[in-house]
Amino acid sequence: MTVTTPKGYTAFSADTIKGYISGIDELAERVGGDQDQMETVEIGDGNLNLVFIVKGPVGSMIIKQALPYVRLVGESWPLPLKRSYFEYHALTRQARTSTSGARVPQVYRFDEAKALIAMEYLADHIILRKGLIAGIEYPKIARDLGLFMAETLFRTSDLHMETARKKQDVALFSDNVELCDITENLVFTDPYHDAEMNSWTSPQLDRLALALRQDRDLKVAVQVMKQKFTSSSQALVHGDLHSGSVMVTQDDTQVIDPEFAFYGPMGFDTGALFANYLLAYFSQDGHAGKPGERDDYQEWLLTTIIDTWQVFEDRFRALWRSERDGILYPRALFEDQDDAPGAEQALTHTLRALFCDTLGFAGAKMIRRLVGLAHVEDMGSIEDPDLRARCEANALSMGRELLVGRDLFSSMNGVCEVARRIRMEGTRL
Ligand code: ADP
Ligand code: MG
């Protein structure tokens, strides 16, 4: 397939982006000065898009522009520019629904024809994944992301939205076909068969990677989760909420890059985040200068998982009680008939289902990062392949436990116990 560039679109360079900005008053004013005073650099370390930092005498901004193909792979893998439209619409919805704090970069301008978003430059923040690899603790992150997930997910769900608005928004995002298709294949299918682009630390992980293809319970479990992904439009999910989509300082947390957004299962976001904390957890043994050096940090990661879920659950409960005014579980059936306990019972049931989904999706997300197409730097930056393989094998075991055993866990504490046990015992290669 060849890439056809839509009319009106050109991919900018660090040089040509200056002319674009100076041609649009609201952007030019924000940056200040003329083109000669503008400093621009392309920093896209991501897999898909161009990202420019633009600085001028007055201010700065990020310009994120979609390319008509997957940057990681090249022009042989076309990908539509409209993903930037979904990213823009997701950013505006997240900004509106996450009221406990401004958790997404402010959008300055969306240009649909150029497939670009001008947004706030988070100059002091670093990508969370880099912080986790460096062993840095973030005291506010559990609270910030727990609240963010509860608010964005609850408020875009049928628990809060009115039917016409919900359907209209589902229709808008349901056109994000190609990015959903990527997830459907890369997360839920490719790791479990001989897909061309799979890779793993070889030969160390060969036995475990190939065993996935014969693991019937696992294959069934991952398809059960895939069905939830394809058929459940519970809420507007970020769709790619890993530690590379979070930017942090010691006192702020920002969520970026929601181009995979669509109406899907809530547990897909919560699961993605916990999967990445767990990948970070198992990778620490490869980053410890001497054995035990990262023990405290590993415990911090587990505590963060527990705290995040607690904050999430508390906020979800509060919203259930105060903003449950959508399609589902109407008050007419419960509170209005003097049956508040009925609503509480339904809440407990809803959270339990969400917890199990979270674990199932977390397991699937872990496994694909170990034997599928795109791996994580947490593991990739461990230079010694034998050491890396041992970390990855533990993470693989954890992924399987979560995916197959998602209904058997009673709490996040229990999940963390299993993680500790797997790490202590070590997975046989
Ligand atoms: P992609 O979709 O191609 O993965 P991302 O949105 O993840 O692109 O952005 C790629 C990188 O650009 C991020 O890892 C981050 O380093 C940087 N970046 C993106 N948005 C911002 C922002 N608003 N402020 C500062 N840096 C950003
Ligand atoms: Mg991206």
Side-chain angles (χ1 to χ4, degrees):
M1 256 195 285
T2 51
V3 174
T4 48
T5 308
K7 238 177 111 207
Y9 174 87
T10 32
F12 287 113
S13 67
D15 211 34
T16 58
I17 196 72
K18 293 178 184 176
Y20 174 78
I21 292 165
S22 54
I24 294 168
D25 287 350
E26 55 175 308
L27 297 184
E29 280 163 24
R30 199 173 274 281
V31 175
D34 54 32
Q35 278 191 55
D36 302 338
Q37 295 168 285
M38 240 183 255
E39 274 178 57
T40 54
V41 54
E42 202 278 313
I43 53 145
D45 60 354
N47 295 335
L48 298 179
N49 306 289
L50 296 170
V51 178
F52 303 96
I53 300 175
V54 182
K55 290 182 191 162
V58 175
S60 61
M61 69 178 69
I62 286 280
I63 303 268
K64 177 170 175 177
Q65 185 179 35
L67 288 164
Y69 53 85
V70 178
R71 184 177 186 169
L72 174 76
V73 178
E75 299 205 14
S76 61
W77 185 343
L79 197 64
L81 297 170
K82 67 184 178 192
R83 63 190 188 271
S84 124
Y85 170 86
F86 301 114
E87 176 159 356
Y88 163 71
H89 282 292
L91 283 169
T92 55
R93 281 155 184 72
Q94 290 164 345
R96 197 173 62 227
T97 51
S98 66
T99 51
S100 290
R103 292 280 156 258
V104 297
Q106 195 191 333
V107 173
Y108 302 143
R109 184 184 171 86
F110 170 56
D111 184 331
E112 190 170 355
K114 296 277 188 290
L116 71 75
I117 302 170
M119 69 181 114
E120 181 184 357
Y121 171 40
L122 304 166
D124 302 327
H125 295 64
I126 64 162
I127 289 287
L128 173 61
R129 192 185 302 288
K130 308 258 184 208
L132 301 182
I133 293 168
I136 303 170
E137 295 184 10
Y138 295 96
K140 292 188 61 207
I141 199 165
R143 186 179 148 75
D144 288 347
L145 292 180
L147 292 174
F148 174 82
M149 294 191 297
E151 291 174 354
T152 55
L153 295 175
F154 184 95
R155 288 179 171 144
T156 58
S157 77
D158 294 327
L159 296 167
H160 179 65
M161 282 179 93
E162 171 265 310
T163 192
R165 250 182 67 229
K166 168 81 186 315
K167 268 76 176 171
Q168 198 176 34
D169 224 36
V170 170
L172 186 151
F173 280 96
S174 69
D175 195 30
N176 202 2
V177 180
E178 290 78 5
L179 276 73
C180 285
D181 182 54
I182 288 180
T183 303
E184 287 156 16
N185 290 313
L186 295 193
V187 177
F188 297 105
T189 300
D190 288 357
Y192 307 90
H193 76 115
D194 182 18
E196 203 185 327
M197 286 182 292
N198 286 346
S199 73
W200 55 81
T201 302
S202 183
Q204 291 85 344
L205 282 189
D206 286 0
R207 189 184 71 82
L208 293 175
L210 296 174
L212 298 182
R213 300 174 191 177
Q214 308 304 323
D215 190 335
R216 199 170 288 156
D217 290 342
L218 189 63
K219 287 192 289 183
V220 172
V222 80
Q223 291 308 297
V224 171
M225 299 317 295
K226 186 178 186 177
Q227 183 173 20
K228 289 173 190 273
F229 183 85
T230 58
S231 63
S232 152
S233 52
Q234 277 182 336
L236 179 63
V237 297
H238 176 287
D240 200 21
L241 193 50
H242 56 77
S243 53
S245 296
V246 177
M247 295 191 75
V248 283
T249 65
Q250 279 299 301
D251 35 47
D252 188 45
T253 315
Q254 296 284 314
V255 177
I256 63 165
D257 195 15
E259 66 192 328
F260 281 82
F262 78 114
Y263 277 83
M266 295 184 182
F268 193 70
D269 277 358
T270 47
L273 184 65
F274 295 132
N276 279 267
Y277 282 139
L278 286 167
L279 287 165
Y281 173 81
F282 289 105
S283 76
Q284 296 295 322
D285 295 308
H287 298 301
K290 42 184 182 313
E293 193 183 70
R294 293 283 181 109
D295 283 7
D296 288 349
Y297 192 63
Q298 283 168 299
E299 280 307 305
W300 178 81
L301 284 167
L302 296 185
T303 305
T304 298
I305 291 174
I306 292 168
D307 291 351
T308 305
W309 181 257
Q310 188 64 53
V311 170
F312 174 84
E313 217 181 51
D314 289 349
R315 186 71 182 118
F316 196 95
R317 281 182 203 282
L319 290 167
W320 178 280
R321 289 165 193 151
S322 62
E323 294 185 23
R324 201 179 79 253
D325 46 18
I327 308 163
L328 290 178
Y329 301 101
R331 281 167 198 278
L333 301 194
F334 300 103
E335 288 87 343
D336 297 353
Q337 308 192 108
D338 221 15
D339 186 20
E344 291 297 304
Q345 185 182 322
L347 170 58
T348 301
H349 173 83
T350 300
L351 279 170
R352 172 69 197 164
L354 183 46
F355 179 72
C356 297
D357 280 3
T358 298
L359 302 189
F361 286 121
K365 294 284 245 178
M366 289 180 77
I367 292 172
R368 66 76 55 117
R369 294 291 189 187
L370 300 160
V371 301
L373 171 61
H375 290 214
V376 288
E377 195 185 333
D378 311 58
M379 296 293 186
S381 58
I382 302 169
E383 272 173 32
D384 173 359
D386 291 325
L387 179 57
R388 181 170 70 241
R390 286 199 295 278
C391 296
E392 290 173 326
N394 287 341
L396 214 45
S397 297
M398 186 78 207
R400 187 184 190 282
E401 292 269 347
L402 291 175
L403 197 39
V404 175
R406 62 191 182 282
D407 293 331
L408 305 175
F409 290 89
S410 55
S411 70
M412 237 4 139
N413 270 302
V415 171
C416 293
E417 271 311 310
V418 170
R420 286 189 193 98
R421 195 200 73 218
I422 288 173
R423 180 179 166 234
M424 282 305 141
E425 289 175 358
T427 301
R428 194 173 67 82
L429 291 177

